[in-house]
Amino acid sequence: MSYTGPDFEPTPPRRRRRPLTVAVAALVPGALLGWLVYETTGGTGGSGEDPGARRAAASSPAAPSGPGSPSGSPDRGDEKPSPSSSPSAASTSPLQGKVVVIDPGHNPANFRHPSEINSKVDIGTARKECDTTGTSTNGGYTEAEFTLDVAHRLRTLLQQQGATVKLTHDADRPFGPCIDERARIGNQARADAVVSIHADGSGTGNRGFHVILPASVHQGAADTRPIVASSRDLGERIAGNFVRATGSAPSNYVGDGTGLVTREDLGGLNLSTVPKVFIECGNMRDSKDAAQLTSDSWRQKAARGISEGIVGFLRG
Ligand code: ZN
């Protein structure tokens, strides 16, 4: 399945570089911390699933207990009738009143609708195809399945923090949405943050994640100037927490080791009026990255990293 779609031309592989930890330090202190811990504790390089200890850590974070954990509430049994008004509920619902839109990249059924997804839409700076099929691992696990799975995990984590969460689609439509509609859904929800979930389709040996930030564009219907700074903040926080939660390194083929890339050719970013980033969680065409992307426990870590980045952004 080709990855030559309009919203994601494969970024030309660059010469591999060592991660520039100094640059990471300047941009994302959290990422540096996580990365250094990873380095000094002898990270495995992520070849496959981590052994049991880290899997357990992923499934039972020491984070504030969620609503399903009554033992975490000291007010249990007193006369307060509404959990939402109790101090303990407030402390476990830090995202109360916040709206997060999650955009699972592509759609598992896009391949059945080539003419629809190939029709052009206006992204302000250009006209581009409505949507693409996305990539897949060599074993046939599709990017569209991956993005929905991570989106569901992320939705649960954010709801546990009290956020109102909306998905741009849930495999509940025959194709798409188109990239312009994906942006509109976030705008119309007046989302406090939007994240578009993807996995890349680059060459073997190209590894790691990167977060894509909107460039400043002002052309046609596109005007990202009001969201460039806030989106960068959101993206840096997601990158830092993604490193910490997954142990994955920033991309070794784009972003010069920072895990951050700015692009001006993505309709989903150009048309957004609310803070928004994309994340490419790894490279589906690299066998080591693919082993992670196909692992349930790794995807849970990925969702947790993204969630913690969003929480940090929304709490300021
Ligand atoms: Zn994609």
Side-chain angles (χ1 to χ4, degrees):
M1 208 164 296
S2 145
Y3 199 56
T4 56
D7 211 30
F8 263 97
E9 288 97 5
T11 318
R14 290 192 195 168
R15 194 170 303 283
R16 296 174 66 175
R17 296 180 183 219
R18 293 184 60 77
L20 300 179
T21 49
V22 173
V24 176
L27 293 167
V28 262
L32 176 64
L33 181 60
W35 175 242
L36 289 178
V37 168
Y38 172 77
E39 288 278 85
T40 54
T41 54
T44 61
S47 54
E49 220 172 297
D50 286 343
R54 296 190 68 178
R55 176 198 289 260
S59 61
S60 57
S65 51
S69 182
S71 62
S73 167
D75 293 336
R76 219 178 157 217
D78 73 13
E79 69 269 26
K80 288 176 185 168
S82 165
S84 64
S85 64
S86 73
S88 66
S91 66
T92 56
S93 303
L95 301 190
Q96 197 75 45
K98 300 291 187 184
V99 177
V100 179
V101 169
I102 304 171
D103 177 37
H106 316 284
N107 177 320
N110 271 355
F111 73 94
R112 294 199 187 96
H113 299 272
S115 61
E116 288 94 338
I117 67 167
N118 286 330
S119 67
K120 297 280 177 69
V121 297
D122 183 0
I123 67 161
T125 52
R127 289 184 64 79
K128 293 182 73 171
E129 283 79 3
C130 154
D131 206 7
T132 56
T133 58
T135 188
S136 70
T137 66
N138 293 333
Y141 180 57
T142 67
E143 182 186 356
E145 289 176 78
F146 170 83
T147 64
L148 275 168
D149 180 90
V150 174
H152 293 153
R153 295 171 189 273
L154 177 57
R155 176 174 61 187
T156 299
L157 292 169
L158 291 169
Q159 286 174 336
Q160 286 171 352
Q161 300 282 314
T164 299
V165 182
K166 182 177 176 61
L167 268 57
T168 58
H169 78 98
D170 199 1
D172 50 358
R173 46 188 297 160
F175 65 91
C178 296
I179 53 177
D180 57 338
E181 186 181 349
R182 289 174 188 265
R184 243 182 345 259
I185 291 169
N187 298 345
Q188 288 173 352
R190 299 181 185 276
D192 295 289
V194 185
V195 60
S196 186
I197 313 284
H198 290 261
D200 211 349
S202 188
T204 297
N206 288 340
R207 295 201 59 195
F209 78 93
H210 62 280
V211 175
I212 305 175
L213 313 174
S216 182
V217 296
H218 181 212
Q219 189 178 342
D223 184 1
T224 59
R225 294 172 300 174
I227 64 155
V228 164
S230 55
S231 298
R232 172 167 283 274
D233 183 17
L234 172 64
E236 288 177 352
R237 289 173 188 268
I238 289 176
N241 282 282
F242 198 85
V243 167
R244 222 160 30 138
T246 64
S248 291
S251 170
N252 67 5
Y253 60 98
V254 287
D256 291 339
T258 64
L260 300 171
V261 173
T262 300
R263 285 178 63 171
E264 59 182 22
D265 61 328
L266 300 180
L269 293 180
N270 285 4
L271 298 175
S272 185
T273 59
V274 292
K276 181 171 181 179
V277 299
F278 282 40
I279 181 165
E280 296 279 5
C281 295
N283 174 18
M284 299 199 98
R285 294 294 183 177
D286 176 84
S287 60
K288 290 178 177 171
D289 270 15
Q292 295 180 321
L293 296 163
T294 55
S295 153
D296 286 353
S297 61
W298 189 89
R299 290 195 301 274
Q300 185 64 26
K301 293 178 194 175
R304 185 158 53 85
I306 297 167
S307 171
E308 287 170 0
I310 292 171
V311 171
F313 171 73
L314 293 178
R315 297 190 76 182

